[in-house]
Amino acid sequence: MNHSLEKPPFPPYLALLIGVIAISSSAIFVKLSSAPAPIIATYRLIFSVVLTLPFLLWNRGAIAEIGKMSKKVWLLCLLSGAFLASHFLLWFESLNYTSVASSTVLVTLQPLFAFIGGYFFFGERVRLLALSGGLLAIVGSFVIGWGDFQVGGMALFGDALALLGAVTVTGYWLVGQYVRQHMSSFSYTLVVYSATSVILVAYDLALGYPLVGYPAQDWGWFFCLALFPTLLGHSIFNWVIKWLSTTTISMGILGEPIGTAILAYFILGEIVTVPQWVGGLVIIAGIYLFIRYNQLAKGVSQGEQAPPTPKKLA
């Protein structure tokens, strides 16, 4: 059975919007924390797992589903966790070398890689008008961050880390798009977050980062990172990816710089500049055009057809 054609219980595009608003807080919380980037990433995922575990009491079927997972599914979930861990490490570390705007803009260039991955792994085709909308939104992202880009030195190094973060998070979504056709959102999220946590803890121990001894306020930011951009952001994307492709989700995430700029204004006191306003409007227009003309929305929108789905997992 093609699960992507099942009617979703909640409007996928509305869920995507909620998720984008939630992840817009991520860079803010990272900036507010004084802990090393790997530690921030580690406790973001550990707290996410801790907050998710109690829901097993209301979802006993997930325990049985996880127990019946094949070796192939376990390996794919581990790969997904490795991609997610790499994404957080690269992006959080980039914020130590470059600005919030530059890092956020570069890491949201993931649609470029999603177009390529969707084509090669799922045979997805993007209509010309939809592609034009996607490129327009990407241009809007650069308009937002252009005046804040710093060329050369450590800023360039931070920008490179953020760009690699875009590559790894695209890998995470592509694996999720495959696995979620055969696995529930809750089970997939719990297994992947757990795998990511183990990988991050191993990374911290290998590089000698202390796991304790951080100020009380940092623990509060870790919790906020788990609750808002992870559980209300990434977890929603893990659910919605059953009905919307990686490319569509990546396009929606291009709205993150808009939310981040607004939050940075109210929380960090950063000024919202004219280019940011203009860029934000361009991004919104581009996302609208992409969603309006995209034919990859897995049968959610009227008249759209589901894209080719991968073969059933063993």
Side-chain angles (χ1 to χ4, degrees):
M1 180 178 180
N2 188 349
H3 296 278
S4 66
L5 294 179
E6 294 177 0
K7 184 178 181 180
F10 189 83
Y13 285 114
L14 180 56
L16 178 61
L17 176 61
I18 294 172
V20 170
I21 293 173
I23 65 171
S24 297
S25 64
S26 184
I28 305 298
F29 292 135
V30 173
K31 273 289 189 180
L32 290 172
S33 175
S34 61
I39 294 297
I40 298 174
T42 298
Y43 282 110
R44 171 177 178 170
L45 268 297
I46 289 178
F47 281 15
S48 296
V49 172
V50 171
L51 291 172
T52 302
L53 282 174
F55 290 95
L56 281 175
L57 297 175
W58 291 275
N59 194 350
R60 298 296 180 88
I63 299 176
E65 182 180 15
I66 293 172
K68 295 178 181 178
M69 286 169 55
S70 67
K71 181 179 179 181
K72 183 175 183 179
V73 175
W74 276 109
L75 290 175
L76 286 172
C77 287
L78 181 60
L79 176 62
S80 181
F83 275 131
L84 185 59
S86 300
H87 164 66
F88 285 140
L89 290 171
L90 290 164
W91 183 34
F92 288 3
E93 195 65 43
S94 76
L95 292 169
N96 291 324
Y97 299 99
T98 190
S99 67
V100 170
S102 296
S103 178
T104 302
V105 167
L106 286 169
V107 83
T108 52
L109 289 181
Q110 52 191 278
L112 293 176
F113 306 106
F115 289 148
I116 298 171
Y119 175 80
F120 282 104
F121 293 108
F122 296 96
E124 296 175 348
R125 303 292 192 275
V126 180
R127 294 181 62 186
L128 182 58
L129 286 173
L131 180 61
S132 299
L135 295 177
L136 181 63
I138 291 172
V139 169
S141 292
F142 273 95
V143 171
I144 286 180
W146 183 256
D148 200 36
F149 277 105
Q150 305 172 50
V151 179
M154 300 310 294
L156 184 60
F157 176 67
D159 292 342
L161 291 178
L163 189 60
L164 288 174
V167 175
T168 52
V169 78
T170 302
Y172 166 66
W173 297 128
L174 289 170
V175 174
Q177 181 176 339
Y178 185 97
V179 177
R180 275 286 288 120
Q181 301 307 313
H182 313 276
M183 190 175 182
S184 71
S185 174
F186 182 84
S187 299
Y188 173 73
T189 297
L190 182 59
V191 172
V192 170
Y193 285 1
S194 299
T196 306
S197 299
V198 171
I199 293 171
L200 289 171
V201 169
Y203 179 89
D204 294 337
L205 294 176
L207 271 66
Y209 287 103
L211 296 177
V212 295
Y214 299 101
Q217 62 182 14
D218 278 348
W219 296 98
W221 301 133
F222 300 157
F223 178 83
C224 288
L225 278 164
L227 179 61
F228 295 104
T230 308
L231 295 182
L232 296 179
H234 281 269
S235 295
I236 287 180
F237 297 150
N238 285 340
W239 174 82
V240 83
I241 203 168
K242 184 173 183 176
W243 291 278
L244 302 179
S245 68
T246 294
T247 304
T248 302
I249 291 176
S250 295
M251 279 301 308
I253 293 175
L254 279 177
E256 181 182 354
I258 301 175
T260 300
I262 294 173
L263 290 174
Y265 171 78
F266 286 105
I267 299 175
L268 302 179
E270 295 185 2
I271 298 174
V272 181
T273 64
V274 173
Q276 287 177 323
W277 282 110
V278 173
L281 292 174
V282 172
I283 289 173
I284 292 172
I287 292 175
Y288 170 78
L289 288 174
F290 179 86
I291 292 177
R292 173 67 178 80
Y293 294 105
N294 182 34
Q295 294 295 314
L296 304 179
K298 298 188 177 182
V300 174
S301 297
Q302 185 176 1
E304 292 181 336
Q305 299 296 320
T309 54
K311 294 180 180 180
K312 189 172 182 180
L313 294 173

